[in-house]
Amino acid sequence: MRALALALFLGISSALPGQSAPAGQAAAPDLNAMILGEVARIPEGGKYAANRYAILQLQSTAHFEKGKFFTIPNAPFPSFCSGATYLIFIRVLEDLREMNGLALEPGTLSQLIIRGQADGVGIWGRWNANGPGTARLFHELGIGRNFTSYEAARPGDFMKIFWTKEVGQKERGHSVIYLGREMVDGVERVKFWSSNIPDGYGTKSVPRSKIAHAIFSRLEKPERLNRINSIPATDPYLASLLEVRSSISEAGRKSGI
């Protein structure tokens, strides 16, 4: 029943606006809407913590059992930004699988499990890395496109915020779900959801001027996750960013921008 409800509520035509889907063709789900729907289901709070306990809580929540990911926290718990956005990513993939709209190979499902992979290793290690981790993964596998334009961004896009011009070893970054822009007292602000300092899961709004750079990643072809087993186990660029300084121009090139 849940899969049917999701399909009825989130399904939209894959045709262009103003056109109808061809007869007999199933409606394509609006992946951005699904991402926002999953954001709305996450309990707020729990505090921000980038430590081993937060990793263990994330592993417990996004655990894999009998061929399925179980990713519904019953209460807030300590969390961190890349873990929060990855949890949403996993939940959307599982929703698509329940709707019979996504077939992932056993090897791909195994790759999605969080096992404490080092930065740049596998799916989680890429997502959790410094620099353009999510964007690099999307580009390598072709599961979506990356861009830097706020005008092109839609609520539900994944977004990597760089608070300074540093990328890599000395960066200060934030992995979030983009929610849009707003004007408050004449100041343009950017709204997003993530695990934020200090309160944990929730929404936040910051002046756009506080963001040095941003890379948006839009999920479009999740079925291409199956390509993970045909690329190197470790992305050397992402793996290096704990110790090496990069630049936003290099990050963009590595992300197909």
Side-chain angles (χ1 to χ4, degrees):
M1 291 296 293
R2 178 166 174 261
L4 177 59
L6 278 167
L8 292 173
F9 179 70
L10 296 170
I12 62 170
S13 172
S14 59
L16 295 173
Q19 295 181 342
S20 300
Q25 179 177 314
D30 183 335
L31 298 180
N32 280 53
M34 293 182 72
I35 288 167
L36 295 174
E38 290 298 349
V39 164
R41 296 177 61 204
I42 300 291
E44 293 188 359
K47 295 185 179 180
Y48 180 94
N51 55 30
R52 178 169 173 75
Y53 179 67
I55 283 279
L56 292 174
Q57 289 293 328
L58 177 64
Q59 289 176 313
S60 176
T61 299
H63 73 278
F64 188 69
E65 182 179 338
K66 296 180 179 178
K68 179 178 178 178
F69 280 99
F70 292 86
T71 56
I72 304 177
N74 295 320
F77 53 81
S79 57
F80 54 98
C81 63
S82 56
T85 55
Y86 191 71
L87 181 62
I88 297 298
F89 180 62
I90 291 291
R91 290 171 66 125
V92 169
L93 296 180
E94 194 58 46
D95 284 340
L96 289 168
R97 294 180 70 216
E98 287 189 20
M99 294 163 57
N100 295 320
L102 178 64
L104 295 180
E105 298 168 358
T108 303
L109 294 170
S110 177
Q111 287 264 20
L112 286 164
I113 299 172
I114 300 170
R115 297 189 176 93
Q117 296 93 325
D119 284 11
V121 178
I123 295 177
W124 165 245
R126 284 166 164 82
W127 193 284
N128 190 46
N130 279 358
T134 298
R136 177 71 178 147
L137 175 71
F138 275 41
H139 177 58
E140 275 190 294
L141 302 182
I143 63 174
R145 60 189 178 95
N146 304 308
F147 53 95
T148 59
S149 169
Y150 282 88
E151 285 66 36
R154 289 178 53 202
D157 287 336
F158 293 99
M159 178 186 188
K160 175 62 182 282
I161 292 172
F162 296 89
W163 299 118
T164 72
K165 294 182 179 180
E166 290 284 347
V167 177
Q169 183 189 32
K170 296 186 177 182
E171 80 174 50
R172 291 179 55 243
H174 200 23
S175 174
V176 308
I177 306 291
Y178 177 72
L179 299 180
R181 291 176 290 163
E182 60 184 356
M183 295 296 293
V184 179
D185 296 329
V187 176
E188 184 182 21
R189 300 180 70 91
V190 177
K191 296 175 62 178
F192 53 82
W193 176 93
S194 187
S195 176
N196 303 304
I197 298 174
D199 298 325
Y201 291 133
T203 61
K204 192 170 184 176
S205 172
V206 301
R208 179 172 169 178
S209 61
K210 296 289 186 181
I211 299 174
H213 300 290
I215 296 178
F216 299 93
S217 301
R218 182 169 299 160
L219 183 62
E220 296 175 321
K221 298 183 181 297
E223 68 277 5
R224 292 183 177 176
L225 273 169
N226 288 317
R227 296 178 175 180
I228 188 63
N229 297 299
S230 63
I231 66 173
T234 300
D235 182 321
Y237 170 66
L238 295 178
S240 75
L241 294 184
L242 283 175
E243 300 178 349
V244 174
R245 296 171 70 180
S246 182
S247 65
I248 195 64
S249 59
E250 183 178 28
R253 291 194 302 271
K254 295 289 187 179
S255 304
I257 297 173

